[in-house]
Amino acid sequence: MISTIQKAFNSCKKEKRPALLTYTVAGDPNIKTSLQILNNISKHADICEVGLPHNTPVADGGQIQNSSYRAIQRGITTKQVFQLIKQFKKNNTTPVILMGYFNTVFQYGENSFLKDCKASGVDGIIIVDLPWPENKKFSLMCKKKSINFIQLISPTTSDKRMKQIIKDSHDMLYYISMLSTTGGKLKVSPKQILQNYSKIKKINPAKNVVIGFGITEKTISSLKKADGLVVGSALCKAITMSLLKKTNPVLQLNKMVKALKAKII
């Protein structure tokens, strides 16, 4: 059976464009608004990544840290994140990838976490600090539940290791564009990023590879050759700016994601 994530990529390939993946933190700035944001941006996004708020998000830069902090300040729990996704999925077929850190999964219990992922309609999982091969057991648990476990590849991943990661991957791979936390200024040229991306694609051309970290309205169109592009920090920053200016973050993000989509069509 074809996964919803694979279906999303197939649709984009038919339209000869990359998939647009958005990232927002669950519960930022509050649960109600967070759900409204997802309902709106999913009209333009092909896949929605939803961040599990964490108090020490080691891979994330300032913008996503601010988003996580706001959600945690509001007292959001992992249970509430699942409820939020379940609400979103009631009227929406856009695939959801839950992104977080292993401590959250460990504290919740791996089996319970995956059971609630399945019950709420989560389509895929990214665990930032659970690399290959340590993630093999958990990845297999995900597969048994028909949930995509998304492996990460970075610019320093060796060719040998890359081949092993790709072999063990499910429907999608996430290529980290540069050695940085999220939201950093793109330190590598789009040409160099696409060269590294091509190396991954050569190993298995059928595998969907998305590029994340440092992607904004300014850089997105230069990376159109990828299977998918992830925009996260720019959206989290837009929520922060909207709150400071006392404007509506839902309208702001809807407008922004619509503009991002226009740049890759």
Side-chain angles (χ1 to χ4, degrees):
M1 197 172 140
I2 301 174
S3 73
T4 50
I5 289 172
Q6 186 59 53
K7 280 179 188 170
F9 282 109
N10 290 350
S11 296
C12 295
K13 278 167 188 166
K14 274 181 191 167
E15 292 174 24
K16 294 183 168 57
R17 64 170 179 86
L20 176 61
L21 291 85
T22 55
Y23 171 94
T24 52
V25 175
D28 179 35
N30 55 60
I31 290 171
K32 187 185 169 189
T33 310
S34 182
L35 178 59
Q36 287 173 341
I37 286 170
L38 279 175
N39 282 330
N40 277 270
I41 65 175
S42 59
K43 292 171 193 168
H44 317 293
D46 300 292
I47 296 170
C48 289
E49 286 184 11
V50 176
L52 275 161
H54 198 277
N55 62 1
T56 46
V58 291
D60 294 308
Q63 302 303 339
I64 292 174
Q65 283 182 29
N66 287 340
S67 277
S68 276
Y69 181 63
R70 282 192 295 264
I72 289 165
Q73 262 192 322
R74 291 274 182 169
I76 194 161
T77 63
T78 306
K79 270 251 183 284
Q80 286 174 315
V81 174
F82 286 128
Q83 285 162 6
L84 172 73
I85 293 166
K86 196 170 188 175
Q87 278 292 115
F88 170 66
K89 282 287 201 165
K90 269 184 185 175
N91 311 306
N92 212 303
T93 56
T94 307
V96 167
I97 294 172
L98 196 55
M99 190 168 184
Y101 294 83
F102 190 65
N103 188 39
T104 309
V105 182
F106 183 73
Q107 297 291 341
Y108 204 88
E110 290 174 41
N111 287 313
S112 300
F113 185 84
L114 288 176
K115 188 183 164 199
D116 284 356
C117 276
K118 194 72 188 163
S120 59
V122 169
D123 301 278
I125 298 173
I126 297 173
I127 305 293
V128 185
D129 55 351
L130 188 64
W132 187 92
E134 285 80 9
N135 62 33
K136 283 176 110 170
K137 177 179 163 264
F138 188 70
S139 170
L140 201 62
M141 287 169 75
C142 289
K143 200 161 197 170
K144 283 178 182 170
K145 292 265 184 204
S146 300
I147 295 167
N148 260 279
F149 182 83
I150 289 126
Q151 300 278 2
L152 303 172
I153 289 176
S154 83
T156 55
T157 305
S158 68
D159 289 353
K160 186 188 174 188
R161 182 174 166 81
M162 199 186 287
K163 282 174 187 166
Q164 291 166 321
I165 291 170
I166 292 167
K167 188 170 172 279
D168 273 358
S169 66
H170 297 178
D171 289 334
M172 173 184 144
L173 286 155
Y174 189 120
Y175 176 63
I176 298 163
S177 69
M178 58 182 175
L179 301 176
S180 166
T181 52
T182 57
K185 194 169 185 246
L186 210 55
K187 298 170 188 167
V188 189
S189 72
K191 189 183 172 186
Q192 183 60 57
I193 292 167
L194 288 170
Q195 275 174 359
N196 294 346
Y197 163 85
S198 297
K199 264 173 67 179
I200 303 165
K201 288 296 286 183
K202 267 182 190 159
I203 295 167
N204 185 346
K207 198 68 71 175
N208 302 301
V209 183
V210 306
I211 300 172
F213 285 48
I215 296 172
T216 63
E217 283 183 68
K218 283 180 184 174
T219 56
I220 196 165
S221 57
S222 58
L223 296 164
K224 277 202 299 196
K225 285 182 185 168
D227 294 325
L229 297 163
V230 187
V231 182
S233 293
L235 301 181
C236 294
K237 185 182 179 180
I239 295 174
T240 302
M241 295 314 291
S242 184
L243 295 171
L244 287 170
K245 291 176 182 174
K246 294 187 166 55
T247 56
N248 186 340
V250 180
L251 296 177
Q252 191 57 42
L253 262 74
N254 185 48
K255 189 179 155 190
M256 198 172 172
V257 177
K258 193 178 178 182
L260 285 160
K261 180 77 167 278
K263 285 179 184 280
I264 56 169
I265 287 172

